[in-house]
Amino acid sequence: MYLIIPALDEAKNLPHVFEAIGDAELEAEIVVIDDGSTDDTAETATALGARVLRHPFNMGYGAAIQTGYMYALERGADLLVQMDADGQHDPRQIPAMVEPIRRDECDLVIASRFLEVTGYRMGWVRTAGRKIFEVLGNLAGVNVTDPTSGFQAMNAATLELYVQDFFPHDYPDVDVLVTATRHGLRVRECASQMHPGLRASKLHGGTRAFYYAYKMLVSMWAASSDRKKQ
């Protein structure tokens, strides 16, 4: 199993994340994708025992995880888990995520903050956006409660799809899940208790929120249109 962690300026957080991974006693090759960090992210990850893949400059979250996908697929991976470097995801939940894939019950597992009541809270703007894209995803055949979760497990069939050119370099979220479903991949959720990140998220802040919403709508429309042409 491969465990990939995209990271941008996460040198201070990585020791906490790796301590949690160690406590989970996982049998996995840990791969940190340094997406053009300006701090000691790469050096810290190397010192902690990870395989480090470095981008020469910041290319975006989607590009970072796709680099991890390509690395694992080229080495014959049949199982991969992705998690964030901010401390929000709990590695102890990984065995429960990968078990249905090992049993060939699904191809992709999304760890959901909202499948069960866990007390997790986000701001009203992000909550409204999540609800909108959850509904749109449902209309497109993606029945998940947490389409923006970055804590996922997947098999080789999913990796083979995700290394293709359609995969976005910036925000791969519900639009990618729509494409996966359209290609016949079996998507499942599992309940997940997530922690507050060790730092504030920069992914959808400020004017990025407006671009993100526009981009998701266009991408979901394109995914649906591509399916109709097949």
Side-chain angles (χ1 to χ4, degrees):
M1 181 174 73
Y2 288 80
L3 175 58
I4 67 168
I5 306 173
L8 174 63
D9 295 334
E10 297 283 8
K12 293 182 178 179
N13 295 332
L14 284 175
H16 302 284
V17 172
F18 272 72
E19 181 180 2
I21 293 172
D23 291 343
E25 299 182 346
L26 302 171
E27 293 185 6
E29 178 177 346
I30 304 172
V31 182
V32 172
I33 303 94
D34 177 13
D35 190 29
S37 296
T38 58
D39 65 0
D40 295 329
T41 290
E43 293 78 7
T44 301
T46 299
L48 291 167
R51 173 73 168 91
V52 178
L53 309 177
R54 302 188 71 172
H55 288 172
F57 51 86
N58 180 239
M59 297 175 64
Y61 175 77
I65 57 175
Q66 192 180 52
T67 293
Y69 299 156
M70 292 177 176
Y71 174 85
L73 191 60
E74 287 172 356
R75 284 153 183 80
D78 58 3
L79 185 60
L80 177 144
V81 175
Q82 67 183 56
M83 61 180 289
D84 291 346
D86 63 358
Q88 182 176 206
H89 301 149
D90 188 344
R92 294 175 298 180
Q93 298 172 357
I94 290 176
M97 294 170 61
V98 302
E99 185 58 27
I101 297 177
R102 293 189 190 277
R103 294 196 301 259
D104 195 29
E105 296 174 357
C106 59
D107 304 293
L108 174 64
V109 172
I110 312 296
S112 171
R113 295 162 286 188
F114 309 107
L115 190 62
E116 297 178 357
V117 177
T118 63
Y120 184 90
R121 295 288 183 270
M122 59 172 56
W124 71 268
V125 174
R126 292 184 63 192
T127 297
R130 180 185 66 82
K131 287 291 187 181
I132 290 171
F133 288 114
E134 179 184 343
V135 171
L136 292 175
N138 289 343
L139 293 174
V142 178
N143 298 309
V144 297
T145 61
D146 197 358
T148 65
S149 172
F151 198 13
Q152 303 182 14
M154 62 195 69
N155 63 11
T158 306
L159 290 173
E160 289 170 357
L161 176 64
Y162 281 6
V163 298
Q164 296 181 24
D165 290 343
F166 84 90
F167 197 84
H169 283 187
D170 45 17
Y171 305 132
D173 276 328
V174 66
D175 54 337
V176 172
L177 297 180
V178 169
T179 300
T181 301
R182 300 294 193 189
H183 281 77
L185 296 182
R186 299 163 296 170
V187 181
R188 175 182 290 191
E189 281 189 299
C190 69
S192 176
Q193 176 70 55
M194 296 193 190
H195 311 296
L198 297 173
R199 63 169 175 79
S201 173
K202 301 177 182 178
L203 183 59
H204 301 148
T207 57
R208 293 186 183 91
F210 299 99
Y211 167 72
Y212 172 77
Y214 169 77
K215 186 260 184 185
M216 285 297 113
L217 290 171
V218 172
S219 297
M220 290 176 66
W221 173 81
S224 298
S225 297
D226 286 346
R227 180 63 177 179
K228 291 176 182 178
K229 294 177 182 177
Q230 295 178 3

